[in-house]
Amino acid sequence: MKEQNNIDEVQEPINSASPEVRQIIERVWDLEKSRLDKKSFGHINDDILAIVKEAVK
Amino acid sequence: MKLTSIKLCNFRSFYGKTCELALAVSHLKNTTIIYGNNGAGKTSLLNAFTWLLYEKFSAAFASIDQLVNKRAIAEAKIGQSVECWVELAWEHDSKRYRVKRQCRVYKHDNGIDVGKTELYMQVAGDEGKWYLPPQLPEDIIGQILPASLHQYFFFDGERIEEIVRSDKKAEIAEATKIFLGVEVINRSIRHLQEAKKSLENELRLIGDSEIKKLLKQQGKIELEIELINKRQREITKELEYQNTFKKETSKRLRELNAAKKLQERRQELEKLKASNQDNLRHTRETIKKAISSRGHTVILSEITAKFREIIEDLKEKGKLTTGISREFIQNLLDSSSCICGTSLFEENQARLNLENWLEKAGSSEVEETAIRMSAQVDEIDKQSALFWETIDKEQAQIGHLRNAIAEIEVELDNIEERLRKDPSEEIRNLQKRLDKIEEKITELTLEQGANQQKVINLKTDLESLNKQISRQKLNEEKQILAQRRISATQDAINRLTKVKVLQEQQFRLQLEKRVQEIFSEISFTPYIPRISEKYELTLVENTSGLEMPVAASTGENQILSLSFISSIIDRVRDWSQKKMLMVADSSTFPIVMDSPFGSLDEIYRKHIAQIIPQLANQLIVLVTKTQWRGEVEDEMSCRVGKEYVLTYYSPKPDCEQDFIEISGERYPLVKQSPNEFEYSEIIEVERE
């Protein structure tokens, strides 16, 4: 039970975010995860900018 | 990731295609055992997995440039190529994957050339239809199980302690950070900060809003216009008053006998002056109208002259001759009959005559247009003459009116002068008053005109200001959006930073706890595994009440390594089931272990054999007969779902044959090769 509480606590900053901020976090997370194996970060800034601009219109 | 089958072709010691090795996947019987003697190809099989997935090899895998089976190369003819491949199938996240990596060698007189390796992937969803993935196969594999983590799932058990060696501390710390999602959070934060900088630069480019300043200016101008308009209304009233006053004064002057005559004359002259001024305005209007309606005819004279030249030229060349027209002749030719009744059939003389005329005759269409245009050009010239006539007349009229007005003014001045000097004081005073009124009226009229001009100028300023304001409003919207984006990015950074701190504390401690539990279950030592804040994995003891690092043996380090791997699988599975932002969003991990129990004592082998099949979702173990027999077999056999034997064919003439007995059946481990090559085959063990 205590562990479950702790896990919820870890996620709290994301769960309590506004929908647009949550969208940014989740999409950036997925992007970074998919690039974890890549050594070069070319275009990542553009991709992240696109995520932010799409989330906040 | 659940591995379902593997098949090899000419890969290292495996000659030709092997059978497809189906791998154990059920929940309880999740273990596949592959038996083989030293040198039979266990390490090759382990490396078949890592080569296919990541093009990487384990440390014990010698001569990586000799991937292709030697017998296959020897049997190939010069100029032929030999292919070598590994095909692996797995399931992940409700999808099935079939992946093949192949490379070719080309045989020539002096040896072989090795080609590049190629990776192919096909994916099938729930509906079972196979398709090519939209991303690169390497990227998909990296997303399912990152290459940097592969050594924790595909490993050589005899060297597994290396992952916790002191010089590998940084590597395992990095891997742990990746497993726990910390690395992804770090990168997300770093890249969001970069994105925020770009957004701030964009905001700077939009520029600071001047809208407040512009609105202030707008208000000021509007107020100024209002004040002027108010003054204009006052002036109008004042002028009305002055004019009334003037009338009354003039009336009184007329009532005085001595001034009556002069005053009446003055009024007459004033009327005449006003009428002349009216006429002057009217004349000027007439000139303006003439310029705007007919002024252009004056500058067309050169063009009309040129037009006439062209027409004359055409006439001279006979192209505008009146008489018979080209269209008329063409009609006769088309109907093949003349108006006189002569028929104009092909090649007869009459027709040829007529065709000659066609060359000479002018076009009636051109002629008509020329006539129409000539009339228009004549009209232009006429208008031009009329224009000059009007202008001359009106200019003369202006001169005349100006003279008349000047004469009237002189006479008026005289009358006024006489009145100013009149012997009667009353008359003199009344004239003085009239002079003052006139002065006032002039002053007010001038002010009125100046004010009108001021209002026109202010309105022009206001118009351009309004345009600037609407432009700024658009900018302001852009600014607000850019600012919203910046603050959303900052909020995301703040929240991720919080998650990172919490995740680091929680996950690291939970992982450490699990490593400790598993380690203590296997080991009989009092040592305690620790994961430091830098994610370094160490073994400590605190028998003296003080925590001290342990100089652990190879065996202890092997247990520590296996405990770490098992804990990672166990925790990541648990967290991903709770929908945490985990790196591997899968609850299933395979472990492929080569010779896992090499240097361990009996008791440790027993514990590990007991624990690993429970913690890993799927286990593939490559063992020798001696590694398997005894406690390992006792603990694991209930978990075994699939078994295979690697048979080594030795070209050595007097080689000692070996076999393994499974379920009452003998399977060959070493056999005499039928030729001069050594190679291996894979046989499936079939149990009742």
Side-chain angles (χ1 to χ4, degrees), chain B residues 161 164-166 169 519 523 525 527-528 537-541 548-561:
Chain B
E161 77 283 357
V164 295
R165 246 173 35 194
S166 56
K169 276 195 173 6
F519 184 84
S523 175
T525 63
Y527 306 152
I528 306 159
L537 180 65
T538 47
L539 214 47
V540 299
E541 58 131 0
M548 296 286 281
V550 176
S553 68
T554 302
E556 294 301 334
N557 275 337
Q558 285 188 350
I559 295 167
L560 180 62
S561 302

Short mmCIF file of all heavy atoms in Angstrom, two decimals, chain B residues 161 164-166 169 519 523 525 527-528 537-541 548-561:
data_model
loop_
_atom_site.label_atom_id
_atom_site.label_comp_id
_atom_site.label_asym_id
_atom_site.label_seq_id
_atom_site.Cartn_x
_atom_site.Cartn_y
_atom_site.Cartn_z
N GLU B 161 30.11 -11.47 -13.88
CA GLU B 161 30.58 -10.60 -12.78
C GLU B 161 31.20 -9.31 -13.33
O GLU B 161 31.32 -8.33 -12.61
CB GLU B 161 31.57 -11.36 -11.89
CG GLU B 161 32.98 -11.52 -12.44
CD GLU B 161 33.12 -12.60 -13.52
OE1 GLU B 161 32.11 -13.27 -13.82
OE2 GLU B 161 34.22 -12.73 -14.07
N VAL B 164 29.65 -5.80 -12.81
CA VAL B 164 29.75 -5.05 -11.55
C VAL B 164 31.20 -4.74 -11.18
O VAL B 164 31.48 -4.26 -10.09
CB VAL B 164 29.06 -5.79 -10.37
CG1 VAL B 164 27.57 -5.87 -10.61
CG2 VAL B 164 29.64 -7.18 -10.14
N ARG B 165 32.12 -5.02 -12.12
CA ARG B 165 33.52 -4.72 -11.84
C ARG B 165 33.69 -3.22 -11.63
O ARG B 165 32.94 -2.42 -12.20
CB ARG B 165 34.37 -5.16 -13.02
CG ARG B 165 35.31 -6.31 -12.67
CD ARG B 165 36.01 -6.84 -13.88
NE ARG B 165 36.34 -5.82 -14.86
CZ ARG B 165 36.70 -6.12 -16.10
NH1 ARG B 165 36.74 -7.39 -16.48
NH2 ARG B 165 37.01 -5.17 -16.95
N SER B 166 34.72 -2.87 -10.80
CA SER B 166 34.84 -1.45 -10.45
C SER B 166 35.01 -0.55 -11.68
O SER B 166 34.53 0.58 -11.70
CB SER B 166 35.97 -1.24 -9.46
OG SER B 166 37.15 -1.76 -10.01
N LYS B 169 31.66 0.56 -13.32
CA LYS B 169 30.66 1.21 -12.47
C LYS B 169 29.87 2.27 -13.22
O LYS B 169 28.65 2.38 -13.07
CB LYS B 169 31.34 1.83 -11.24
CG LYS B 169 31.55 0.83 -10.14
CD LYS B 169 31.88 1.53 -8.85
CE LYS B 169 31.95 0.61 -7.64
NZ LYS B 169 31.84 -0.80 -7.85
N PHE B 519 19.68 -10.93 -3.51
CA PHE B 519 21.06 -11.30 -3.16
C PHE B 519 21.08 -12.14 -1.88
O PHE B 519 21.75 -13.16 -1.81
CB PHE B 519 21.92 -10.04 -3.00
CG PHE B 519 23.37 -10.32 -2.75
CD1 PHE B 519 24.23 -10.56 -3.81
CD2 PHE B 519 23.87 -10.39 -1.45
CE1 PHE B 519 25.57 -10.84 -3.58
CE2 PHE B 519 25.20 -10.67 -1.22
CZ PHE B 519 26.06 -10.90 -2.28
N SER B 523 22.84 -15.68 -1.63
CA SER B 523 24.14 -15.72 -0.95
C SER B 523 24.01 -16.06 0.53
O SER B 523 23.05 -15.64 1.18
CB SER B 523 24.84 -14.37 -1.12
OG SER B 523 26.03 -14.36 -0.38
N THR B 525 26.46 -15.03 2.49
CA THR B 525 27.29 -14.01 3.16
C THR B 525 26.39 -12.93 3.77
O THR B 525 25.23 -12.81 3.37
CB THR B 525 28.22 -13.32 2.14
OG1 THR B 525 27.40 -12.63 1.19
CG2 THR B 525 29.12 -14.30 1.43
N TYR B 527 26.76 -9.87 3.27
CA TYR B 527 26.98 -8.65 2.47
C TYR B 527 25.65 -8.05 2.00
O TYR B 527 24.67 -8.76 1.80
CB TYR B 527 27.84 -8.96 1.23
CG TYR B 527 29.15 -9.62 1.55
CD1 TYR B 527 29.76 -10.45 0.61
CD2 TYR B 527 29.79 -9.42 2.78
CE1 TYR B 527 30.96 -11.08 0.88
CE2 TYR B 527 30.99 -10.06 3.05
CZ TYR B 527 31.57 -10.88 2.12
OH TYR B 527 32.74 -11.50 2.38
N ILE B 528 25.69 -6.73 1.86
CA ILE B 528 24.48 -6.02 1.44
C ILE B 528 24.77 -5.23 0.15
O ILE B 528 25.69 -4.40 0.14
CB ILE B 528 24.00 -5.03 2.53
CG1 ILE B 528 23.83 -5.75 3.87
CG2 ILE B 528 22.69 -4.35 2.11
CD1 ILE B 528 23.88 -4.82 5.06
N LEU B 537 26.60 0.42 -8.23
CA LEU B 537 26.21 -0.79 -7.51
C LEU B 537 27.44 -1.33 -6.78
O LEU B 537 28.46 -1.61 -7.40
CB LEU B 537 25.68 -1.82 -8.52
CG LEU B 537 25.21 -3.16 -7.98
CD1 LEU B 537 23.99 -2.99 -7.08
CD2 LEU B 537 24.87 -4.09 -9.14
N THR B 538 27.34 -1.46 -5.47
CA THR B 538 28.48 -1.99 -4.69
C THR B 538 27.97 -2.99 -3.65
O THR B 538 26.77 -3.03 -3.35
CB THR B 538 29.22 -0.88 -3.92
OG1 THR B 538 28.25 -0.08 -3.26
CG2 THR B 538 30.08 -0.06 -4.85
N LEU B 539 28.91 -3.73 -3.12
CA LEU B 539 28.60 -4.70 -2.08
C LEU B 539 29.26 -4.20 -0.79
O LEU B 539 30.45 -3.87 -0.78
CB LEU B 539 29.19 -6.06 -2.50
CG LEU B 539 28.45 -7.33 -2.14
CD1 LEU B 539 26.97 -7.24 -2.45
CD2 LEU B 539 29.09 -8.50 -2.88
N VAL B 540 28.49 -4.10 0.28
CA VAL B 540 29.07 -3.62 1.54
C VAL B 540 28.76 -4.61 2.67
O VAL B 540 27.93 -5.50 2.51
CB VAL B 540 28.51 -2.23 1.94
CG1 VAL B 540 28.85 -1.19 0.88
CG2 VAL B 540 27.02 -2.29 2.18
N GLU B 541 29.45 -4.42 3.77
CA GLU B 541 29.12 -5.21 4.98
C GLU B 541 29.19 -4.27 6.17
O GLU B 541 29.92 -3.29 6.14
CB GLU B 541 30.08 -6.38 5.13
CG GLU B 541 31.53 -5.98 5.21
CD GLU B 541 32.27 -6.63 6.36
OE1 GLU B 541 31.66 -7.42 7.11
OE2 GLU B 541 33.44 -6.32 6.53
N MET B 548 31.20 -0.93 5.31
CA MET B 548 32.49 -0.95 4.61
C MET B 548 32.32 -1.70 3.29
O MET B 548 31.61 -2.70 3.23
CB MET B 548 33.54 -1.69 5.45
CG MET B 548 33.89 -1.03 6.75
SD MET B 548 34.90 0.43 6.49
CE MET B 548 36.48 -0.34 6.23
N PRO B 549 33.01 -1.23 2.22
CA PRO B 549 32.92 -1.98 0.97
C PRO B 549 33.60 -3.35 1.09
O PRO B 549 34.53 -3.51 1.87
CB PRO B 549 33.67 -1.09 -0.03
CG PRO B 549 34.47 -0.16 0.78
CD PRO B 549 33.82 -0.02 2.11
N VAL B 550 33.10 -4.31 0.34
CA VAL B 550 33.62 -5.66 0.41
C VAL B 550 34.48 -5.92 -0.82
O VAL B 550 34.12 -5.53 -1.93
CB VAL B 550 32.44 -6.67 0.41
CG1 VAL B 550 32.93 -8.10 0.39
CG2 VAL B 550 31.54 -6.42 1.60
N ALA B 551 35.60 -6.61 -0.60
CA ALA B 551 36.40 -7.07 -1.75
C ALA B 551 35.80 -8.41 -2.15
O ALA B 551 36.20 -9.46 -1.68
CB ALA B 551 37.86 -7.22 -1.35
N ALA B 552 34.80 -8.36 -2.98
CA ALA B 552 34.02 -9.56 -3.25
C ALA B 552 34.72 -10.51 -4.20
O ALA B 552 35.50 -10.10 -5.05
CB ALA B 552 32.67 -9.17 -3.84
N SER B 553 34.43 -11.79 -4.04
CA SER B 553 34.99 -12.81 -4.93
C SER B 553 34.23 -12.80 -6.25
O SER B 553 33.17 -12.18 -6.36
CB SER B 553 34.83 -14.18 -4.28
OG SER B 553 33.45 -14.49 -4.24
N THR B 554 34.80 -13.52 -7.23
CA THR B 554 34.13 -13.62 -8.53
C THR B 554 32.72 -14.18 -8.35
O THR B 554 31.76 -13.68 -8.92
CB THR B 554 34.95 -14.55 -9.45
OG1 THR B 554 36.26 -14.01 -9.55
CG2 THR B 554 34.33 -14.67 -10.82
N GLY B 555 32.63 -15.20 -7.50
CA GLY B 555 31.33 -15.83 -7.25
C GLY B 555 30.32 -14.85 -6.69
O GLY B 555 29.18 -14.76 -7.17
N GLU B 556 30.77 -14.06 -5.69
CA GLU B 556 29.85 -13.10 -5.08
C GLU B 556 29.42 -12.05 -6.12
O GLU B 556 28.27 -11.64 -6.16
CB GLU B 556 30.50 -12.39 -3.89
CG GLU B 556 30.81 -13.29 -2.70
CD GLU B 556 29.59 -13.99 -2.13
OE1 GLU B 556 28.47 -13.45 -2.29
OE2 GLU B 556 29.74 -15.08 -1.56
N ASN B 557 30.39 -11.64 -6.94
CA ASN B 557 30.07 -10.64 -7.97
C ASN B 557 29.11 -11.20 -9.02
O ASN B 557 28.27 -10.48 -9.55
CB ASN B 557 31.34 -10.11 -8.62
CG ASN B 557 31.95 -8.97 -7.82
OD1 ASN B 557 31.24 -8.31 -7.05
ND2 ASN B 557 33.23 -8.76 -7.97
N GLN B 558 29.25 -12.50 -9.29
CA GLN B 558 28.31 -13.12 -10.24
C GLN B 558 26.91 -13.11 -9.66
O GLN B 558 25.93 -12.81 -10.35
CB GLN B 558 28.75 -14.54 -10.57
CG GLN B 558 29.94 -14.55 -11.51
CD GLN B 558 30.28 -15.94 -12.02
OE1 GLN B 558 29.74 -16.94 -11.55
NE2 GLN B 558 31.18 -16.00 -12.98
N ILE B 559 26.84 -13.42 -8.38
CA ILE B 559 25.52 -13.42 -7.72
C ILE B 559 24.94 -12.00 -7.70
O ILE B 559 23.76 -11.78 -7.97
CB ILE B 559 25.62 -14.01 -6.29
CG1 ILE B 559 26.02 -15.47 -6.39
CG2 ILE B 559 24.29 -13.87 -5.56
CD1 ILE B 559 26.45 -16.08 -5.09
N LEU B 560 25.84 -11.04 -7.41
CA LEU B 560 25.40 -9.64 -7.39
C LEU B 560 24.86 -9.23 -8.77
O LEU B 560 23.79 -8.61 -8.88
CB LEU B 560 26.57 -8.73 -6.98
CG LEU B 560 26.26 -7.23 -6.91
CD1 LEU B 560 25.21 -6.94 -5.85
CD2 LEU B 560 27.54 -6.43 -6.59
N SER B 561 25.59 -9.62 -9.82
CA SER B 561 25.17 -9.27 -11.19
C SER B 561 23.81 -9.87 -11.51
O SER B 561 22.91 -9.18 -12.02
CB SER B 561 26.18 -9.78 -12.21
OG SER B 561 27.43 -9.24 -11.94
#
